[in-house]
Amino acid sequence: MDLTHINKEGRAKMVDVSSKEDTKREGIAAASIYMKRETLEKIEEGRIKKGDVLSVAQVAGIMGAKSTPQIIPMCHPIMINGCDISFNLDFENNKVDIRSEVKNTGKTGVEMEALTAVSIAALTIYDMCKAIDREMVISDIMLIKKSGGKSGLFERDGYNGKGNSY
C-alpha cells in the first residue's frame, strides 16, 4: 500500500484533497486517565483548587480539536461543524473515561480532531490534578468510529456508545 503522505522523493507531503467530494463526516474517539480514588472523588465533588476540572477539560478538548492542524503537521485545516466532549467517572477502576464526537462536511475526515480532543482533555485533567496526584496515567487513546468519505464506515469492535467503557 502506498503511503499518501510521502512524495516521489520519499519526503513528507500534505495530501491533495481538491478532487474529493464533500461528504458528511464524523469521528468519535476515547481516552482514559487513571488516578487515585481520592483524586477522582475530589474531581466529582469540585474540590480541586484549580477549579472545575471537567468543565475546563471540556473546553480544552474542543480547543484541541479546532487546533489540530497547528499541532499535527499533515492535517488539513477544516471547518468543524460540531464538537462535543463527555466524561464518565468510573469509581470501580479509578479513572475518567473521555469521549469526543467531531462532525464536519468536507473533503477530509475528522478522526484526528476527535483523537486530539480526547488527548488534550486528558492532559488538562492531568495538569489540573497533578499537585495532588502525579501518578495519573493517560491511556487507551483510540478511534471508536469514523464515518463518511471514500473509505466509509469504521467502527471499533465492542463499541457501546460510552467512550471506552466497554
Side-chain angles (χ1 to χ4, degrees), residues 20-82:
K20 288 181 154 188
E21 295 291 322
D22 284 351
T23 62
K24 287 186 178 183
R25 297 164 181 269
E26 177 182 39
I28 299 175
S32 295
I33 180 166
Y34 292 81
M35 61 193 63
K36 295 176 186 172
R37 183 172 190 85
E38 304 83 55
T39 307
L40 193 58
E41 289 169 352
K42 285 183 179 186
I43 290 171
E44 181 184 50
E45 296 164 3
R47 294 189 296 125
I48 300 294
K49 290 184 180 182
K50 286 189 174 184
D52 184 341
V53 173
L54 300 182
S55 291
V56 175
Q58 186 166 18
V59 172
I62 292 167
M63 290 175 66
K66 293 172 20 177
S67 301
T68 300
Q70 281 76 48
I71 55 178
I72 308 293
M74 300 305 157
C75 284
H76 292 82
I78 60 172
M79 177 64 71
I80 294 174
N81 295 342

Side-chain angles (χ1 to χ4, degrees), residues 3-135:
L3 297 174
T4 59
H5 286 79
I6 304 297
N7 68 14
K8 292 175 188 171
E9 291 81 35
R11 294 189 196 92
K13 72 171 186 175
M14 180 182 255
V15 174
D16 180 1
V17 296
S18 60
S19 62
K20 288 181 154 188
E21 295 291 322
D22 284 351
T23 62
K24 287 186 178 183
R25 297 164 181 269
E26 177 182 39
I28 299 175
S32 295
I33 180 166
Y34 292 81
M35 61 193 63
K36 295 176 186 172
R37 183 172 190 85
E38 304 83 55
T39 307
L40 193 58
E41 289 169 352
K42 285 183 179 186
I43 290 171
E44 181 184 50
E45 296 164 3
R47 294 189 296 125
I48 300 294
K49 290 184 180 182
K50 286 189 174 184
D52 184 341
V53 173
L54 300 182
S55 291
V56 175
Q58 186 166 18
V59 172
I62 292 167
M63 290 175 66
K66 293 172 20 177
S67 301
T68 300
Q70 281 76 48
I71 55 178
I72 308 293
M74 300 305 157
C75 284
H76 292 82
I78 60 172
M79 177 64 71
I80 294 174
N81 295 342
C83 179
D84 192 16
I85 312 283
S86 58
F87 303 95
N88 178 54
L89 279 61
D90 179 348
F91 285 92
E92 186 175 321
N93 298 297
N94 294 326
K95 65 177 178 165
V96 177
D97 288 327
I98 306 162
R99 182 176 185 266
S100 69
E101 291 185 46
V102 182
K103 295 180 180 181
N104 81 331
T105 301
K107 297 177 183 304
T108 189
V110 288
E111 53 264 47
M112 290 305 299
E113 286 73 10
L115 288 161
T116 301
V118 295
S119 300
I120 297 298
L123 287 166
T124 300
I125 292 169
Y126 185 93
D127 178 56
M128 292 188 73
C129 299
K130 69 184 180 218
I132 61 168
D133 189 354
R134 292 200 187 267
E135 294 183 2

Side-chain angles (χ1 to χ4, degrees), residues 120-160:
I120 297 298
L123 287 166
T124 300
I125 292 169
Y126 185 93
D127 178 56
M128 292 188 73
C129 299
K130 69 184 180 218
I132 61 168
D133 189 354
R134 292 200 187 267
E135 294 183 2
M136 290 177 284
V137 174
I138 296 169
S139 68
D140 304 323
I141 299 169
M142 67 184 90
L143 182 66
I144 297 295
K145 181 180 176 184
K146 169 250 181 262
S147 65
K150 189 170 135 182
S151 64
L153 178 67
F154 162 81
E155 197 162 15
R156 182 172 295 279
D157 289 340
Y159 172 65
N160 68 0

